[in-house]
Amino acid sequence: QVQLVESGGGLAQAGDSLRLSCAASGRTFRMYDMGWFRQAPGKEREFVAGISWSGGSTFYADSVKGRFTISRDNSKNTMYLQMNSLKAEDTAVYYCATNGLPYSGRYSDARAYDKWGQGTQVTVSS
């Protein structure tokens, strides 16, 4: 059974940094592209960042490009999202997800992901 557990969320001030982690189990982690999404109150879930199965390719939403960095450690079955220069508009519940097919190459399309974590709240005060 695939399980994804996010951690690292919390309260931050504008300009601060936070690092989210996503621990995966129950699937051959290194074979699957993964991603981070977020959902703010009253808004639809949106793509934040994606990373290829090897970690060699990364993709970002324009809103976070240059501020957030996605990475993964396949030896630890863990993915990360380093968030710098946080803004109030980054406030949301952040979800990690794993693609439904190995080596899929689909990063920003939420429909490509079949397993999701429970989410971790990030709140940024201005």
Side-chain angles (χ1 to χ4, degrees):
Q1 184 177 356
V2 178
Q3 188 173 17
L4 301 174
V5 179
E6 301 100 335
S7 61
L11 181 63
Q13 293 190 335
D16 283 354
S17 298
L18 284 175
R19 189 194 197 201
L20 305 184
S21 298
C22 173
S25 61
R27 177 173 284 179
T28 308
F29 180 77
R30 66 183 182 276
M31 294 172 60
Y32 291 84
D33 303 327
M34 296 192 67
W36 288 97
F37 290 75
R38 67 187 182 187
Q39 187 166 20
K43 295 186 177 181
E44 293 188 353
R45 181 177 53 192
E46 64 174 357
F47 169 75
V48 175
I51 188 166
S52 64
W53 58 274
S54 67
S57 297
T58 57
F59 305 86
Y60 298 93
D62 288 343
S63 59
V64 306
K65 201 170 296 183
R67 300 188 298 120
F68 290 11
T69 302
I70 188 172
S71 61
R72 65 191 294 166
D73 185 340
N74 286 344
S75 69
K76 296 181 179 179
N77 286 1
T78 303
M79 177 177 68
Y80 306 96
L81 185 67
Q82 178 67 43
M83 306 185 294
N84 298 331
S85 302
L86 283 164
K87 303 177 181 179
E89 50 263 45
D90 294 320
T91 295
V93 177
Y94 283 71
Y95 299 90
C96 69
T98 178
N99 256 234
L101 294 174
Y103 319 117
S104 76
R106 297 171 64 192
Y107 302 100
S108 62
D109 186 352
R111 295 170 297 179
Y113 295 84
D114 71 333
K115 300 296 181 184
W116 297 78
Q118 82 288 351
T120 185
Q121 177 71 46
V122 172
T123 303
V124 184
S125 60
S126 57

